[in-house]
Amino acid sequence: MVPLDWYIMLSAVMFTIGLAGFIARRNIIIMLICIELMLNAVNLSLIAFSHYLQDLKGQILVFFTISVAAAEAAIGLAILVAVFRNKAMVDADKLTEMKG
Amino acid sequence: MDKYILIPLLPLIGFFINIWFGRFFQAKCHWIPILAVFGSFVISVITFTEVVQGKIINYDVYSWVVSGNFKVSVGFLIDQLTAVMLIVVTTVSLLVHIYSVGYMHGDPGYYRFFAYLNLFTFSMLMLVTGNNLLQLYFGWEAVGLCSYFLIGYWYQKQSAADAGKKAFIVNRFGDFGFGLGVFMVFIYLGTLHYTDIFANLHTLQGQTINVLGYEIGLVTLIALLLFCGAIGKSAQLPLHVWLADAMEGPTPVSALIHAATMVTAGVFLVARFNPLFSMSETAMIVVALTGAITSLMAATIALVQNDIKRIIAYSTVSQLGYMFLACGVGAYGAGIFHLYTHAFFKALLFLGAGSVMHAMAGQLDIQKMGGLRKYMPITFFTFLIASFSIAGIPGLAGFFSKDEILWLAYNGGTVGKIVWVIGTIVAGLTAFYSFRVIFLTFFGKFRGTHEEEHHLHESPPSMTVPLLILAVGAVAAGWVGIPPVLGGGNWIGHFLEPVLGHPHVHGTHAEEWMVMGISVAMGIGGIFVAAVLYLWAPGLPLFFGRAFKSAYTVLWNKYYFDELYDYTIVRPTKWFARRILVGVTDAKIIEGIVNGVPKLIGEFGERLRKLQTGVLQHYEIGMALGVFVIASLVFIFAK
Amino acid sequence: MLPQIIFGYFAIVMTVLSVLIVTRKNPVHSVLWMLVLFFHFAAIYLFLNAEFIAAVQIILYAGAVLVLFLFVIMMLNLKQEVSGERYIGEWPIAVALGISILLLIIFAITKLVPGPLGEYTIELIQKETHTKAVGKFLYTEYLFVFIIASLILLIAIVGAMVLAKKRA
């Protein structure tokens, strides 16, 4: 039997990589992808808990997490498109109008 | 609602009407204030007759302050003492109001004057009818305020404005001690209402309080602190300096406030608290000596002054000294009796002086007057009666009251004998300077300018009728206190006995005749010397002045009190205010804080602003850092 | 023994894949590695007896979200921008933060005390299929939340259209 801890550990590692990637990368598309990575890591952890605690609540939550993630990806990409139309580039550290 | 509340309420209403709407009535605006005070007068007379028949009124109108243990109500206590004061205050106030119609005619602030007079009457009535110390203090401060308004009435004049300030500030010194006394009464007796205070006074007997290492009797301390207020308000030594300068105000003001009512509030306070004072020998001695020394000092200053109003002002200080002298030897009733007669003849003197000034178009210097009796017979006649009264000529009011004081002082032990001697000397000086004024002003040749001579006329009836009424008072007011030795029943002494007690008299009738004779002799002697110097041998005053030049200078400069206070108090205060309070506290500390705090916040905000770089990843770093910190805190502190 | 080996394979591969996703220069490469990663996720869900979720993962994530990403990348025609810098200047902070959060979670895992066991045992789920079990649970107890989720998707649709519209 694979202990629960291993699954959680795996989930944590992926989450961490996603977090670091989100902070370190410049390209907005890659940042959105990292967000999806983080959300998926959390999904894994939820399913693992649901399996080991023999409770379906975790899986219900995964449903909603997935749907929200999809919605958020859509909106994020729409914003990205709008930004690209105005600025012709997608570097996150050049988008500093909210400075100050 | 009882009628007693109308006594102070009517003048208050008159004040409000006049101060808000007075300017619309212009020259007719004096009717409502006069009617208001007349109403108060009528009710006071009715109240007086009720008190004579034995009714004492003591009730609370409403609850003023309720704060924990501290409960004070607004209430009225009208006993024999208050009834006498009511008569004095309302009578003189009414007559001054009528007099002002003529005196202040044509003045631009006419309505303001009557409004302030009404406000003053209200304050004084609240002071004397109160049944607790807080209401008395309220009235005390209010009369001080009205005094400021009225002294500085012609506020465009620098000297008048200064005099108003001086009166208020010097009074403040006294009120500080008075306030401390009120606090101590509350701390040690738990109440500020008179009936409760006097019921519990015996609990303070023998207690001492430790002040800076010295053990002082508690009752003595409280009495002396309350007396501080009296010193300030009644212009005794050392706080007498304001009364002479207060003559900058219009003469009706001087008559009302600085002769008959406000300055007598101090005597009223001591008389009202006579159970407290009688418990402390030290306090009584202090009161008596202060009164006596002030009396002597003021009388000597009045000898050489040339300003007619100032002479009468110093005369007031001197007579107030007499009243405190009486209270100090236990003769509170005699003190109040003198207060009552003094109100009449002093107000008469002031209003008469006002009449003279009215004729002389504002001239004050008696050296520039002379022979006015031909032009102003009524003024001369009433002024003469007042001067006879103050000199203690038998049969007139001043004689009975002054004599009562001197006789009871003589009976008052060692201290009593000392102050009796001083009082007798002062009686002689009083007669002298009063008649100096009479001879220099009304007799002899006119020493003014030609235009002034053409202008001389008797005053209008609105001014002379009050003079005549007061003259009747100056003669007859004393007849309520004819001592037994002369065949009377000393009605007023017995009337005031339930409140003011009865002093011990162990002299014989023969001694009483002797005392009376000496004081009458001093009075007549003073008049005689004044006649010699100013009527029959006019060159003599100049000779005396040159011969005793240094003494003359000291007296003329009022013992240099003003200069002393200027150097020791006024200048250091001004220096302190300018250099330290303005220079350091205001400019550096307060400005520093007021400007510095925004600057600090601005800089802090400036630095904090740099945190918002606009770069998304930096915000994400912040978020992750926050999660890390909070999660670790949870793990560290959670059980 | 076998489950552990299989799990080991998954662990290593998924970790490597996620590193690859994060570090590619070309966004299209990242997206394609993400596709592989999603298949691995679906496989793990199958191991955990959640076949419906595995199916949803493929359909939704691999089928819709990734395609959306590819569409946008192709629409923006970003190949020219590939020459830009990959990482921002503060990337060491990112690594440090990541490692600290990882350590924190590991520490938390060691202290983990699982709660009480629920009633949906594996046998129970396998008796009626997982889909039916999840469906029954979802539509009875979590109906309200389900409807809210549909509202969220509605907002996303409308929002995406409004934001990305070409202004006339």
Side-chain angles (χ1 to χ4, degrees), chain C residues 74-90:
Chain C
M74 286 196 271
M75 182 165 76
L76 297 184
N77 215 349
L78 277 172
K79 275 194 140 178
Q80 290 86 325
E81 269 73 347
V82 162
S83 56
E85 269 297 316
R86 249 193 295 181
Y87 301 113
I88 65 175
E90 288 88 358

Side-chain angles (χ1 to χ4, degrees), chain B residues 57-376:
Chain B
I57 298 120
N58 185 356
Y59 69 100
D60 288 345
V61 177
Y62 69 89
S63 198
W64 185 8
V65 176
V66 177
S67 162
N69 283 340
F70 182 51
K71 289 184 182 43
V72 175
S73 320
V74 171
F76 293 127
L77 167 66
I78 304 186
D79 58 3
Q80 292 88 345
L81 173 62
T82 312
V84 171
M85 293 298 293
L86 279 180
I87 295 289
V88 168
V89 172
T90 49
T91 312
V92 177
S93 182
L94 180 63
L95 291 172
V96 164
H97 274 78
I98 298 176
Y99 182 89
S100 306
V101 172
Y103 190 82
M104 300 296 287
H105 180 75
D107 192 280
Y110 196 61
Y111 73 92
R112 229 173 81 229
F113 188 73
F114 279 95
Y116 289 151
L117 280 184
N118 261 27
L119 184 66
F120 172 81
T121 311
F122 159 72
S123 314
M124 191 70 198
L125 288 170
M126 286 297 278
L127 198 159
V128 300
T129 55
N131 71 354
N132 59 76
L133 259 178
L134 198 60
Q135 195 170 329
L136 188 142
Y137 197 81
F138 159 72
W140 194 270
E141 297 299 323
V143 294
L145 179 69
C146 293
S147 169
Y148 168 76
F149 285 147
L150 286 164
I151 295 176
Y153 174 71
W154 288 310
Y155 53 85
Q156 283 103 349
K157 205 158 99 149
Q158 179 68 31
S159 56
D162 284 344
K165 264 193 297 185
K166 182 172 181 179
F168 198 77
I169 294 177
V170 172
N171 256 289
R172 222 63 202 97
F173 274 89
D175 291 346
F176 178 64
F178 186 32
L180 286 178
V182 173
F183 295 155
M184 289 195 68
V185 167
F186 180 66
I187 291 176
Y188 285 99
L189 288 169
T191 171
L192 289 180
H193 283 254
Y194 296 148
T195 39
D196 299 325
I197 293 178
F198 296 140
N200 291 329
L201 259 187
H202 59 273
T203 60
L204 294 180
Q205 183 89 34
Q207 279 189 39
T208 58
I209 182 172
N210 196 318
V211 175
L212 298 173
Y214 293 102
E215 288 288 329
I216 303 184
L218 184 60
V219 180
T220 309
L221 185 61
I222 297 181
L224 286 177
L225 284 175
L226 292 177
F227 186 55
C228 280
I231 294 181
K233 190 66 78 185
S234 298
Q236 299 295 293
L237 207 71
L239 295 176
H240 61 283
V241 291
W242 64 270
L243 190 53
D245 286 347
M247 297 301 118
E248 294 282 341
T251 312
V253 168
S254 307
L256 178 62
I257 298 186
H258 307 126
T261 41
M262 185 178 100
V263 293
T264 56
V267 185
F268 172 74
L269 174 69
V270 174
R272 174 60 79 201
F273 275 86
N274 67 80
L276 181 70
F277 278 88
S278 299
M279 274 171 80
S280 162
E281 267 221 31
T282 321
M284 300 272 276
I285 295 179
V286 168
V287 170
L289 283 178
T290 309
I293 298 178
T294 308
S295 180
L296 183 63
M297 182 201 73
T300 49
I301 296 180
L303 291 176
V304 302
Q305 298 297 315
N306 285 327
D307 180 335
I308 190 174
K309 282 178 71 173
R310 261 165 224 253
I311 299 178
I312 307 181
Y314 281 111
S315 171
T316 307
V317 176
S318 184
Q319 296 299 306
L320 287 167
Y322 257 107
M323 296 179 215
F324 282 114
L325 193 158
C327 294
V329 297
Y332 301 99
I336 296 293
F337 182 31
H338 194 58
L339 191 159
Y340 156 71
T341 56
H342 171 265
F344 286 103
F345 54 72
K346 194 47 66 67
L348 179 53
L349 281 175
F350 267 116
L351 294 185
S355 186
V356 166
M357 281 168 58
H358 185 80
M360 298 280 298
Q363 174 65 263
L364 289 168
D365 193 340
I366 56 176
Q367 302 288 0
K368 297 204 176 63
M369 303 181 192
L372 289 182
R373 76 177 188 282
K374 297 194 283 285
Y375 302 95
M376 328 179 60

Side-chain angles (χ1 to χ4, degrees), chain A residues 42-95:
Chain A
V42 172
N43 284 351
L44 173 62
S45 143
L46 278 167
I47 303 277
F49 268 112
S50 162
H51 180 259
Y52 278 90
L53 293 183
Q54 295 175 350
D55 194 351
L56 275 184
K57 287 214 236 317
Q59 301 190 1
I60 304 298
L61 192 53
V62 167
F63 253 108
F64 297 121
T65 317
I66 292 181
S67 68
V68 168
E72 168 250 334
I75 301 277
L77 287 169
I79 293 178
L80 175 67
V81 165
V83 164
F84 184 74
R85 264 208 210 104
N86 283 326
K87 287 213 184 284
M89 57 91 182
V90 288
D91 272 352
D93 50 348
K94 302 256 184 1
L95 297 173

Side-chain angles (χ1 to χ4, degrees), chain B residues 355-582:
Chain B
S355 186
V356 166
M357 281 168 58
H358 185 80
M360 298 280 298
Q363 174 65 263
L364 289 168
D365 193 340
I366 56 176
Q367 302 288 0
K368 297 204 176 63
M369 303 181 192
L372 289 182
R373 76 177 188 282
K374 297 194 283 285
Y375 302 95
M376 328 179 60
I378 303 182
T379 308
F380 166 64
F381 176 64
T382 51
F383 205 93
L384 190 65
I385 294 204
S387 300
F388 275 130
S389 198
I390 200 176
I393 299 300
L396 298 175
F399 164 70
F400 292 112
S401 55
K402 200 186 281 202
D403 217 71
E404 187 75 11
I405 294 178
L406 288 175
W407 168 236
L408 289 170
Y410 184 81
N411 274 302
T414 332
V415 174
K417 294 263 188 338
I418 300 176
V419 298
W420 170 74
V421 169
I422 299 181
T424 315
I425 299 177
V426 171
L429 292 175
T430 309
F432 174 75
Y433 65 67
S434 303
F435 274 86
R436 172 172 174 258
V437 172
I438 294 249
F439 291 136
L440 279 178
T441 314
F442 294 104
F443 285 82
K445 219 166 68 73
F446 183 68
R447 291 182 292 275
T449 66
H450 233 61
E451 306 93 62
E452 281 172 345
E453 193 164 6
H454 284 295
H455 195 250
L456 291 176
H457 61 282
E458 183 60 88
S459 304
S462 61
M463 286 167 68
T464 50
V465 167
L467 289 178
L468 287 168
I469 299 179
L470 282 174
V472 171
V475 171
W479 292 349
V480 294
I482 303 178
V485 80
L486 286 177
N490 197 3
W491 179 84
I492 194 167
H494 290 122
F495 176 63
L496 290 171
E497 223 173 281
V499 182
L500 298 179
H502 189 72
H504 301 296
V505 177
H506 26 254
T508 62
H509 276 308
E511 284 179 321
E512 196 168 348
W513 279 106
M514 176 194 79
V515 165
M516 208 180 294
I518 295 181
S519 65
V520 170
M522 292 296 277
I524 296 183
I527 301 177
F528 182 70
V529 174
V532 165
L533 282 179
Y534 294 106
L535 204 54
W536 301 321
L540 270 182
L542 205 56
F543 166 72
F544 276 118
R546 288 220 191 89
F548 300 103
K549 192 159 174 127
S550 49
Y552 182 82
T553 320
V554 167
L555 287 182
W556 205 77
N557 281 310
K558 305 162 273 180
Y559 292 100
Y560 295 108
F561 263 101
D562 283 321
E563 286 77 5
L564 176 69
Y565 288 154
D566 188 43
Y567 272 108
T568 54
I569 298 177
V570 174
R571 276 180 206 218
T573 310
K574 280 193 181 164
W575 174 86
F576 184 69
R578 213 179 327 119
R579 295 301 301 283
I580 298 188
L581 287 179
V582 171

Side-chain angles (χ1 to χ4, degrees), chain C residues 123-168:
Chain C
E123 292 74 24
L124 196 64
I125 294 180
Q126 282 174 340
K127 204 155 39 115
E128 51 182 16
T129 54
H130 180 254
T131 312
K132 210 166 174 186
V134 168
K136 213 165 41 164
F137 202 43
L138 185 64
Y139 283 114
T140 48
E141 290 210 21
Y142 289 89
L143 182 61
F144 183 56
V145 192
F146 181 74
I147 297 193
I148 291 185
S150 67
L151 269 176
I152 292 180
L153 289 170
L154 174 66
I155 294 172
I157 294 173
V158 174
M161 275 204 285
V162 167
L163 283 168
K165 211 160 60 144
K166 242 197 186 80
R167 299 293 150 85

Side-chain angles (χ1 to χ4, degrees), chain B residues 595-606:
Chain B
N595 288 342
V597 166
K599 203 151 64 114
L600 201 66
I601 294 181
E603 273 175 34
F604 190 63
E606 206 41 58

